């Protein structure tokens, strides 16, 4: 065979082999993708998961806040560990959320016992049975003739008195709660109102279909038909258990909105109408974090004349408001430039002007590079 023909044949074989290998690899990849598509990864992760039963107190978690306001293990003195069980992210996340609920109650106790704030129920005319929210106020919040400070947190899991749950758990109470702001304000003669914009609904467990009252005609079914139906239901339950062995079936919940407080914006407007605007203070000051800034701008759009007449200054921190998307008019934008300042995440020295091209309100450096997440 001529040399040129041999080279051609060799090259052809190489190309053919490469194509076959590529096709085989493609088929393997396709088969793997098909297999993965038929696996419920969430349920697979639940299979060997421990029960989702967690302590309901800090003592149960063997945690406590020390004299510096840091959350520490009561025996080892170590900080909270998120990855308590390796390779079980979902279980660890649920454990973290359970701790977060305890932290929320703990902060409420601090607001009431250490800061001497009182709880005000919303709506103000709520009935016994309807879902309710609440805010916290100092005793002189509505009677202080000179000045009050209003605190509006960001969105997410945080509740009244908190800026960021993550900071409370991983740093300290001073970093993650509003308590230092409240104490300083009271020392300087301010009345204080603490909003609770994320408490928007009552969470209740869904009633399973099996627990619902049977229809009037159900009793008329022949006994044999009812027995067959029950047998099918029991088989479904058994098959489910056999499939997953240790099913982490969470309770199905539904949310019943709180009247006139079903969103952070609604809540802020409601508290303005029923509390802040009724205060005697000549001067009102706002501190708004993240989504709280957006809620404030919405309040101003809804109550422009009142806000301009009563509020003297607004301090925002990493506010996510957008005067153009929120369709704030020119007079509002002009007022914001004169009376607001937004401290944003930036490595620049504190109070250095940032983003001068955005002319809705001055943005200056908070001398920090990361937004303080609320979860």
């Amino acid at each position: 065979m001529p040399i040129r023909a041999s080279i051609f044949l060799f090259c052809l074989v190489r190309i053919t082999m490469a194509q076959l290998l590529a096709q085989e690899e493609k088929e393997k990849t396709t088969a793997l993708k098909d297999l993965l598509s038929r696996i419920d990864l969430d349920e697979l992760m639940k299979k060997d998961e421990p029960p989702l039963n967690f302590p309901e107190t800090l003592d149960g978690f063997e945690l406590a806040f020390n004299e510096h306001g840091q959350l520490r293990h009561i025996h080892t003195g170590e900080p909270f560990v998120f990855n308590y069980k390796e390779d079980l992210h979902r279980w660890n996340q649920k454990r973290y959320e359970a701790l977060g609920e305890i932290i929320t109650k703990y902060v409420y106790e601090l607001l009431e016992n250490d800061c001497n704030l009182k709880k005000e129920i919303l709506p103000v005319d709520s009935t016994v049975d309807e879902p309710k929210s609440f805010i916290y106020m100092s005793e002189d919040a509505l009677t202080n003739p000179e000045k009050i400070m209003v605190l509006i947190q960001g969105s997410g899991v945080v509740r009244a008195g908190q800026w960021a749950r993550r900071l409370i758990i991983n740093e300290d109470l001073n970093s993650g709660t509003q308590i230092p702001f409240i104490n300083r304000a009271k020392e300087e003669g301010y009345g204080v109102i603490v909003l609770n914009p994320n408490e928007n609904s009552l969470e209740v467990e869904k009633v399973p279909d099996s627990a619902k009252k049977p229809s009037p005609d159900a009793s008329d079914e022949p006994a044999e038909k009812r027995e067959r139906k029950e047998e099918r239901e029991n088989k479904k339950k058994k098959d489910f258990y056999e499939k997953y062995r240790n099913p982490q079936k969470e309770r199905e919940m539904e949310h019943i909105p709180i009247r006139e407080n079903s969103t952070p914006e609604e809540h802020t407007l409601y508290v303005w109408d029923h509390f802040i605007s009724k205060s005697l203070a000549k001067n009102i000051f706002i501190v708004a974090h993240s989504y709280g800034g957006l809620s404030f701008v919405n309040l101003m759009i809804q109550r422009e004349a009142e806000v301009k007449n009563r509020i003297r200054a607004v301090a925002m921190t990493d506010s996510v408001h957008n005067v153009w998307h929120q369709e704030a008019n020119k007079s509002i934008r002009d007022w914001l430039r004169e009376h607001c300042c937004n401290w944003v995440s930036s490595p620049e020295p504190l109070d250095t002007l940032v983003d001068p091209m955005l002319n809705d309100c001055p943005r200056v450096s908070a001398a920090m590079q990361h937004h303080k997440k609320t979860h």
Side-chain angles (χ1 to χ4, degrees), residues 315-327:
M316 298 177 176
T317 57
D318 273 330
S319 174
V320 297
H321 71 278
N322 188 307
V323 292
W324 291 277
H325 287 170
Q326 293 181 260
E327 299 183 352

Side-chain angles (χ1 to χ4, degrees), residues 104-131:
T104 292
K105 294 174 184 176
Y106 184 85
V107 172
Y108 288 160
E109 291 175 5
L110 293 178
L111 294 180
E112 294 174 18
N113 300 328
D114 292 8
C115 299
N116 296 315
L117 302 186
K118 61 178 182 176
K119 183 185 289 187
E120 293 288 342
I121 302 299
L122 312 178
V124 293
D125 59 346
S126 58
T127 61
V128 174
D129 298 327
E130 76 171 301

